[in-house]
Amino acid sequence: AEAEEELNPRNMMPAANQQPAPGQRMPLPTRRQRSSIPKAGEKEEAWEYPSQQMFYNALRRKGKLGEAKEEDMASVVAIHNYTNERAWRELLKWEEMHRAECEMPKLVRFRGLYDELSPKARFRTMLGGQRPFDRHDWVVDRCGKEVRYIIDYYDAPPDPRDPSQYSIKLDVRPAFDSVGAALDRTRMAFRRTFSSSE
């Protein structure tokens, strides 16, 4: 039997593969874009997004390529990168409550858990709500303290101002791993309630 690929524990992915896949119809760019998300353990470094070639290879490896073609990778990667930048900005709204203890939280590692519904998503689905199309768990270094966040990704109605744009709704919140996380979720609920009523 073939040996299993060794996975990077920081993103649960095999080593970056920039080589064209067997049967690939056209070459894809291998340039990677740097994110705005600081990488824990690195001085003045940020996470890098996968290139179009890496993304294509990953989709093939996971059997999730579907009807996507090589020429679709530019838009697929652009949506992926934009969505991750949004997720980080949403996460920072939670971290703002801890700014006094940590001015610059950093992302330690992340993991895709599409097949594992979060408790909140499971509850919503049981009540007839929409199922998220993806889930990620991100672990953040809050200046020495690791904090896990859950991100559920939902398809959203198109923006009426630009129906051609693919819309994604993000539900970003700290996991119920500690009393502190429960308090943060309570504080954020109050903030959102009172800010929306003003």
Side-chain angles (χ1 to χ4, degrees), residues 78-177:
I79 290 170
H80 169 271
N81 297 358
Y82 173 71
T83 303
N84 277 284
E85 293 293 323
R86 280 182 55 210
W88 182 249
R89 289 196 298 271
E90 289 297 313
L91 188 153
L92 288 180
K93 292 178 183 177
W94 293 88
E95 286 298 304
E96 184 66 28
M97 292 188 284
H98 300 276
R99 188 172 180 80
E101 62 185 277
C102 187
E103 291 190 3
M104 186 181 290
K106 298 182 178 183
L107 182 60
V108 180
R109 58 185 179 275
F110 59 90
R111 184 177 188 181
L113 294 167
Y114 165 76
D115 294 323
E116 296 182 32
L117 284 179
S118 66
K120 182 178 179 180
R122 186 182 304 113
F123 183 69
R124 288 183 59 172
T125 304
M126 286 172 59
L127 295 179
Q130 182 185 14
R131 180 190 173 102
F133 67 82
D134 202 1
R135 168 192 169 182
H136 282 184
D137 282 16
W138 289 12
V139 176
V140 170
D141 174 14
R142 186 185 290 158
C143 295
K145 178 182 179 181
E146 288 197 353
V147 182
R148 181 168 67 97
Y149 281 84
I150 296 174
I151 307 171
D152 286 324
Y153 300 78
Y154 294 88
D155 288 315
D159 185 339
R161 295 167 297 182
D162 187 359
S164 66
Q165 293 298 310
Y166 182 58
S167 298
I168 296 173
K169 178 185 175 184
L170 303 177
D171 186 359
V172 181
R173 70 274 184 199
F176 273 130
D177 291 340

Side-chain angles (χ1 to χ4, degrees), residues 27 29 50 122 185 198:
R122 186 182 304 113
R185 288 174 74 157
E198 290 178 355

Side-chain angles (χ1 to χ4, degrees), residues 2-18:
E2 261 185 54
E4 290 187 8
E5 290 182 288
E6 185 175 346
L7 300 180
N8 181 338
R10 299 194 71 170
N11 58 14
M12 298 310 293
M13 296 285 287
N17 179 9
Q18 295 274 32

